[in-house]
Amino acid sequence: MRFPSSAAFVVAAFCAWAFYPAVLAYTFAAGENATATVVRCDLNNRAPDECHGTWRTEDGETGRGEIYNLDADTAEGRTFPVRIGPLGPYANGWGRTWWLPVFWGAALLVMLGVPARVVRRRTFRTGRRTAAGLPADPGALVVSEGGTRHPDGSTHTVVRNLRKAPPGHRRLDLPGRTPRHGEWAGGMKSRFTFFETLLGADQQPLMQLEHRSEMSFEPETVLLDTSGIPRLLIRREAGSLFWVLAPDGRTLGSARPEAPATDLAVRDAEGRMVARCAERGPGECVLRIEQDAPMELRNAALVLALVRTRRRY
């Protein structure tokens, strides 16, 4: 789930906070050297204290005005080495200034973090209540990136990485893959394919998974049988919508977030509910598959739940 306006606000707030430390860093590192004499300091009860005076640079240029980063109680009448930057003359280097950006940075985190935590808590509370109720169903599965388990904690499936394509692998490519939009893919290779095998509780292979992630296109996963033949293709679109496609390109079903927003609902091509995956916590969800769901969509729902728990897809 994305909050573009919130993300833009966070970026803008961070840039606003980072501006002042960046200017100070430039001033203390590359600002022009000068000597300043403090003429007077004003102690203000309801505003920051101010010190004013004159200064002369190493080139002989003079100036007059406020001098920053001084202790107003003791600075009056004294002379200080200063650095002159975009905001004016600063004395004492980072020794007296470091706490200010730290203070405002902490305040910014509090101001942004508390509302974000409230929004997240309200968003996930209903989904977690749903997830809490699902394990009581004997058919429910707790899903994480490493596999699935039954409500009693016993193993249902285990995911194992494969170093290369499984024996007999046949590649499936279907037209219609959509470009990524509005998602940062920094650090991702231009094309990255990796394979996994899904093992049963008896450690026997049940299916193979071929995950394809690229910078330019939305990711997709091919479900292969144990002989390497493609049986399904799951393709993401617009960040949160998934299509379940047959090898011949027919649409078998779809999956998308539904109320509560943290639930992923899997439906067949006619729109009938096949399965629901409710988030239980970070990297974990609870999957309930309808008893009359066809096998191909049962497998698709399981793979979708596994994909959903991945840290990156």
Short mmCIF file of all heavy atoms in Angstrom, two decimals, residues 6 26 32 36 67 74 108 122 125 134 159 200 202 207 210 238-239 244 250 260 272 277 280 294 303 310:
data_model
loop_
_atom_site.label_atom_id
_atom_site.label_comp_id
_atom_site.label_asym_id
_atom_site.label_seq_id
_atom_site.Cartn_x
_atom_site.Cartn_y
_atom_site.Cartn_z
N SER A 6 2.07 11.37 1.47
CA SER A 6 2.83 11.26 2.71
C SER A 6 4.32 11.14 2.40
O SER A 6 5.16 11.74 3.07
CB SER A 6 2.37 10.04 3.51
OG SER A 6 1.02 10.18 3.86
N TYR A 26 29.17 23.45 5.22
CA TYR A 26 29.90 24.22 4.21
C TYR A 26 30.61 25.41 4.84
O TYR A 26 31.78 25.71 4.54
CB TYR A 26 28.94 24.70 3.13
CG TYR A 26 29.57 25.69 2.17
CD1 TYR A 26 30.36 25.27 1.12
CD2 TYR A 26 29.40 27.07 2.36
CE1 TYR A 26 30.96 26.17 0.26
CE2 TYR A 26 29.99 27.98 1.50
CZ TYR A 26 30.78 27.53 0.46
OH TYR A 26 31.37 28.43 -0.39
N GLU A 32 34.78 31.67 4.49
CA GLU A 32 35.92 32.59 4.50
C GLU A 32 36.32 32.91 5.94
O GLU A 32 35.47 33.19 6.79
CB GLU A 32 35.53 33.88 3.77
CG GLU A 32 36.70 34.82 3.53
CD GLU A 32 36.32 36.00 2.66
OE1 GLU A 32 35.12 36.17 2.38
OE2 GLU A 32 37.24 36.75 2.26
N ALA A 36 36.06 38.60 14.22
CA ALA A 36 34.88 39.39 14.57
C ALA A 36 35.02 39.94 15.98
O ALA A 36 35.54 39.27 16.88
CB ALA A 36 33.63 38.53 14.47
N ILE A 67 26.30 38.15 14.59
CA ILE A 67 27.31 37.10 14.61
C ILE A 67 26.71 35.91 15.35
O ILE A 67 26.21 36.05 16.47
CB ILE A 67 28.59 37.58 15.32
CG1 ILE A 67 29.12 38.85 14.64
CG2 ILE A 67 29.66 36.49 15.32
CD1 ILE A 67 30.24 39.53 15.41
N THR A 74 28.56 35.90 27.72
CA THR A 74 29.99 36.19 27.93
C THR A 74 30.68 36.77 26.69
O THR A 74 31.86 37.12 26.77
CB THR A 74 30.73 34.90 28.32
OG1 THR A 74 30.58 33.92 27.28
CG2 THR A 74 30.16 34.33 29.62
N LEU A 108 11.56 16.38 14.26
CA LEU A 108 10.94 16.01 12.99
C LEU A 108 10.53 14.54 13.00
O LEU A 108 9.43 14.19 12.54
CB LEU A 108 11.93 16.28 11.85
CG LEU A 108 11.47 15.91 10.44
CD1 LEU A 108 10.29 16.76 10.03
CD2 LEU A 108 12.61 16.09 9.45
N ARG A 122 -3.87 1.99 12.82
CA ARG A 122 -5.28 1.91 12.44
C ARG A 122 -5.46 1.07 11.18
O ARG A 122 -6.45 0.35 11.04
CB ARG A 122 -5.83 3.32 12.21
CG ARG A 122 -5.96 4.12 13.50
CD ARG A 122 -6.51 5.50 13.23
NE ARG A 122 -6.70 6.24 14.47
CZ ARG A 122 -7.11 7.51 14.52
NH1 ARG A 122 -7.36 8.17 13.39
NH2 ARG A 122 -7.26 8.12 15.68
N ARG A 125 -4.70 -2.71 12.23
CA ARG A 125 -5.40 -3.31 13.35
C ARG A 125 -6.50 -4.26 12.89
O ARG A 125 -6.62 -5.39 13.38
CB ARG A 125 -5.99 -2.20 14.23
CG ARG A 125 -6.65 -2.72 15.49
CD ARG A 125 -7.14 -1.55 16.32
NE ARG A 125 -6.01 -0.76 16.80
CZ ARG A 125 -6.13 0.51 17.19
NH1 ARG A 125 -7.30 1.12 17.12
NH2 ARG A 125 -5.08 1.16 17.63
N LEU A 134 -8.14 -16.30 11.86
CA LEU A 134 -7.99 -17.33 10.84
C LEU A 134 -7.32 -18.61 11.33
O LEU A 134 -7.72 -19.70 10.93
CB LEU A 134 -7.22 -16.76 9.65
CG LEU A 134 -8.01 -15.81 8.75
CD1 LEU A 134 -7.09 -15.27 7.66
CD2 LEU A 134 -9.21 -16.49 8.13
N VAL A 159 10.45 -23.33 1.74
CA VAL A 159 11.02 -22.73 0.54
C VAL A 159 12.54 -22.87 0.58
O VAL A 159 13.17 -22.55 1.59
CB VAL A 159 10.63 -21.24 0.42
CG1 VAL A 159 11.31 -20.60 -0.79
CG2 VAL A 159 9.12 -21.10 0.32
N GLY A 200 7.40 -30.11 0.47
CA GLY A 200 6.38 -30.47 1.44
C GLY A 200 7.00 -30.78 2.79
O GLY A 200 8.22 -30.74 2.96
N ASP A 202 7.42 -33.51 4.04
CA ASP A 202 8.28 -34.69 3.91
C ASP A 202 9.54 -34.40 3.10
O ASP A 202 10.27 -35.31 2.73
CB ASP A 202 7.51 -35.83 3.26
CG ASP A 202 6.95 -35.44 1.89
OD1 ASP A 202 7.16 -34.27 1.47
OD2 ASP A 202 6.29 -36.29 1.27
N MET A 207 6.63 -28.00 -6.15
CA MET A 207 6.63 -27.12 -7.32
C MET A 207 7.92 -26.33 -7.33
O MET A 207 8.65 -26.28 -6.33
CB MET A 207 5.41 -26.18 -7.30
CG MET A 207 5.42 -25.19 -6.15
SD MET A 207 3.97 -24.09 -6.13
CE MET A 207 2.71 -25.19 -5.47
N GLU A 210 9.93 -19.59 -10.49
CA GLU A 210 10.88 -18.75 -11.23
C GLU A 210 10.45 -17.29 -11.06
O GLU A 210 9.43 -16.87 -11.59
CB GLU A 210 10.89 -19.12 -12.71
CG GLU A 210 11.82 -18.26 -13.56
CD GLU A 210 11.73 -18.58 -15.04
OE1 GLU A 210 11.02 -19.54 -15.41
OE2 GLU A 210 12.36 -17.85 -15.84
N ALA A 238 0.71 -2.42 -11.68
CA ALA A 238 0.40 -1.21 -10.90
C ALA A 238 0.73 -1.37 -9.42
O ALA A 238 0.09 -0.75 -8.57
CB ALA A 238 -1.06 -0.81 -11.07
N GLY A 239 1.71 -2.20 -9.11
CA GLY A 239 2.21 -2.28 -7.75
C GLY A 239 1.45 -3.18 -6.80
O GLY A 239 2.04 -3.75 -5.89
N VAL A 244 -3.40 -13.90 -12.54
CA VAL A 244 -3.02 -15.31 -12.62
C VAL A 244 -3.35 -15.77 -14.04
O VAL A 244 -4.52 -15.77 -14.45
CB VAL A 244 -3.78 -16.16 -11.59
CG1 VAL A 244 -3.34 -17.62 -11.68
CG2 VAL A 244 -3.56 -15.61 -10.18
N ARG A 250 -4.57 -17.26 -21.03
CA ARG A 250 -5.91 -17.04 -20.48
C ARG A 250 -5.81 -16.53 -19.04
O ARG A 250 -4.95 -16.95 -18.28
CB ARG A 250 -6.72 -18.34 -20.50
CG ARG A 250 -7.14 -18.81 -21.88
CD ARG A 250 -7.93 -20.11 -21.78
NE ARG A 250 -7.09 -21.20 -21.26
CZ ARG A 250 -7.28 -21.77 -20.07
NH1 ARG A 250 -8.27 -21.35 -19.28
NH2 ARG A 250 -6.49 -22.76 -19.68
N PRO A 260 -10.14 -5.27 5.00
CA PRO A 260 -9.21 -4.20 5.35
C PRO A 260 -8.03 -4.13 4.38
O PRO A 260 -7.71 -5.11 3.74
CB PRO A 260 -8.74 -4.57 6.76
CG PRO A 260 -8.90 -6.04 6.82
CD PRO A 260 -10.12 -6.36 6.01
N ARG A 272 -15.33 -14.78 -8.15
CA ARG A 272 -15.65 -15.50 -6.92
C ARG A 272 -14.40 -15.60 -6.03
O ARG A 272 -13.30 -15.85 -6.52
CB ARG A 272 -16.18 -16.90 -7.23
CG ARG A 272 -17.56 -16.91 -7.88
CD ARG A 272 -18.07 -18.34 -8.03
NE ARG A 272 -17.26 -19.09 -8.97
CZ ARG A 272 -17.54 -19.20 -10.26
NH1 ARG A 272 -18.61 -18.61 -10.76
NH2 ARG A 272 -16.76 -19.91 -11.06
N CYS A 277 -5.61 -13.56 2.12
CA CYS A 277 -4.37 -13.53 2.90
C CYS A 277 -4.39 -12.27 3.75
O CYS A 277 -4.43 -11.16 3.22
CB CYS A 277 -3.16 -13.54 1.96
SG CYS A 277 -1.58 -13.61 2.81
N ARG A 280 -0.38 -10.60 9.32
CA ARG A 280 -0.34 -10.91 10.74
C ARG A 280 0.71 -10.09 11.46
O ARG A 280 0.63 -9.86 12.66
CB ARG A 280 -0.05 -12.40 10.93
CG ARG A 280 -0.28 -12.92 12.33
CD ARG A 280 0.07 -14.38 12.40
NE ARG A 280 -0.36 -14.97 13.65
CZ ARG A 280 0.00 -16.17 14.06
NH1 ARG A 280 0.79 -16.90 13.31
NH2 ARG A 280 -0.43 -16.65 15.20
N PRO A 294 -10.37 -24.50 -7.16
CA PRO A 294 -9.66 -25.43 -8.05
C PRO A 294 -8.18 -25.47 -7.72
O PRO A 294 -7.61 -24.50 -7.20
CB PRO A 294 -9.92 -24.85 -9.44
CG PRO A 294 -10.29 -23.43 -9.22
CD PRO A 294 -10.96 -23.36 -7.89
N VAL A 303 1.33 -19.29 -3.75
CA VAL A 303 2.48 -18.56 -4.29
C VAL A 303 2.32 -17.06 -4.05
O VAL A 303 3.27 -16.36 -3.70
CB VAL A 303 2.67 -18.87 -5.78
CG1 VAL A 303 3.76 -17.99 -6.38
CG2 VAL A 303 3.00 -20.34 -5.98
N ARG A 310 7.71 -11.47 0.80
CA ARG A 310 9.10 -11.20 0.43
C ARG A 310 9.45 -9.76 0.76
O ARG A 310 8.65 -8.85 0.61
CB ARG A 310 9.34 -11.45 -1.06
CG ARG A 310 9.15 -12.89 -1.49
CD ARG A 310 9.67 -13.09 -2.91
NE ARG A 310 11.10 -12.85 -2.97
CZ ARG A 310 12.03 -13.76 -2.69
NH1 ARG A 310 11.67 -14.98 -2.35
NH2 ARG A 310 13.30 -13.46 -2.76
#
